[in-house]
Amino acid sequence: QVQLVESGGGVVQPERSLRLSCAASGFTFRSYDMHWVRQAPGKGLDWVALIGYDGSNKNYADSVKGRFTISRDNSKNTLYLQMNSLRAEDTAIYYCARVIGVAGRPSYYFDLWGRGTLVTVSS
Amino acid sequence: SYELTQPPSVSVSPGQTARITCSGDALSKQYAYWYQQKPGQAPVLVIYKDSERPSGIPERFSGSSSGTTVTLTISGVQAEDEADYYCQSTDNIGLYVVFGGGTKLSVL
């Protein structure tokens, strides 16, 4: 079954750290770029970070740059998001998503999403 | 910065046509994508590359593009279409992803 399953969410105090995982199954994980997208309670979708299929290309939203690190282990079919110096505004459901690129253009979209894991930053 | 603008809400009666717009300067050069999200669920892709429909998405969902505005059209709206809809695109070099603020479709 083709799926993504996130884990690692929970309640964490401000300025602490948390690592999220996303386990992929049913497809060739190492062939796909992957992203993290989050959604604060009652709010819209907010892109967080991307990583290329081989881990060599990474980028982050300005709001998390310098605090979050995206990585992957293709031998374990797993995507990670290391979140440091967490803030209240990082409270959200975090989704991992698989990317499909468009030939000939720097454009892509998300064709497979996990169910998300909730991160709550609160003292 | 790169922004996509959607109306916060659209309301239609069952059987009518719903149109949800998404505007942004970069849409004249980049494709737009549309996602449907129902409460408590992950988003689902309903339109890609402005107007293509993934397999399994009903034919009543269609997309179009004109200049800096893209439009998601749902013809013959059904109660099950009530959801939040988000447009998405990328910057000109594919390093950033941007979502519109989302539109809540209410089926009255």
Side-chain angles (χ1 to χ4, degrees):
Chain A
Q1 182 180 1
V2 176
Q3 65 177 358
L4 298 168
V5 179
E6 301 93 338
S7 61
V11 180
V12 61
Q13 293 179 330
E15 293 305 313
R16 301 298 290 267
S17 299
L18 204 61
R19 188 178 84 155
L20 305 183
S21 299
C22 169
S25 59
F27 65 98
T28 307
F29 177 71
R30 64 179 181 273
S31 297
Y32 291 87
D33 296 354
M34 297 293 296
H35 291 231
W36 287 98
V37 176
R38 67 184 179 182
Q39 186 170 34
K43 302 297 185 183
L45 300 173
D46 182 34
W47 175 73
V48 174
L50 71 84
I51 186 168
Y53 67 96
D54 61 359
S56 61
N57 182 36
K58 302 178 185 180
N59 200 32
Y60 303 89
D62 290 344
S63 58
V64 307
K65 200 169 290 186
R67 300 187 299 123
F68 289 13
T69 301
I70 190 172
S71 62
R72 65 191 297 161
D73 185 338
N74 285 343
S75 69
K76 296 182 178 179
N77 292 336
T78 303
L79 175 73
Y80 302 101
L81 186 68
Q82 177 67 43
M83 304 185 295
N84 299 332
S85 303
L86 281 162
R87 306 167 179 167
E89 54 264 36
D90 295 320
T91 294
I93 296 173
Y94 284 74
Y95 296 100
C96 61
R98 185 178 76 175
V99 164
I100 299 295
V102 174
R105 282 206 193 186
S107 182
Y108 44 83
Y109 56 96
F110 307 111
D111 75 323
L112 179 66
W113 298 68
R115 299 188 68 174
T117 187
L118 176 62
V119 173
T120 302
V121 183
S122 173
S123 54
Chain B
S1 64
Y2 181 2
E3 293 185 355
L4 297 177
T5 301
Q6 299 180 234
S9 63
V10 168
S11 297
V12 296
S13 299
Q16 289 189 329
T17 296
R19 294 180 179 85
I20 300 172
T21 59
C22 173
S23 299
D25 288 343
L27 292 179
S28 62
K29 299 183 180 68
Q30 286 290 52
Y31 286 125
Y33 308 93
W34 290 95
Y35 302 88
Q36 176 194 68
Q37 187 181 34
K38 296 182 179 180
Q41 298 183 18
V44 173
L45 180 74
V46 294
I47 293 290
Y48 67 100
K49 291 198 311 183
D50 292 347
S51 60
E52 302 289 327
R53 192 175 54 251
S55 61
I57 300 302
E59 291 184 6
R60 64 181 181 272
F61 288 85
S62 64
S64 61
S65 176
S66 179
T68 59
T69 299
V70 294
T71 302
L72 172 68
T73 300
I74 310 172
S75 304
V77 167
Q78 299 183 7
E80 67 198 50
D81 300 329
E82 188 164 276
D84 293 326
Y85 291 85
Y86 295 90
C87 60
Q88 174 249 311
S89 191
T90 56
D91 70 299
N92 288 340
I93 56 175
L95 280 182
Y96 290 91
V97 173
V98 62
F99 290 96
T103 298
K104 182 175 181 60
L105 175 66
S106 297
V107 181
L108 306 174

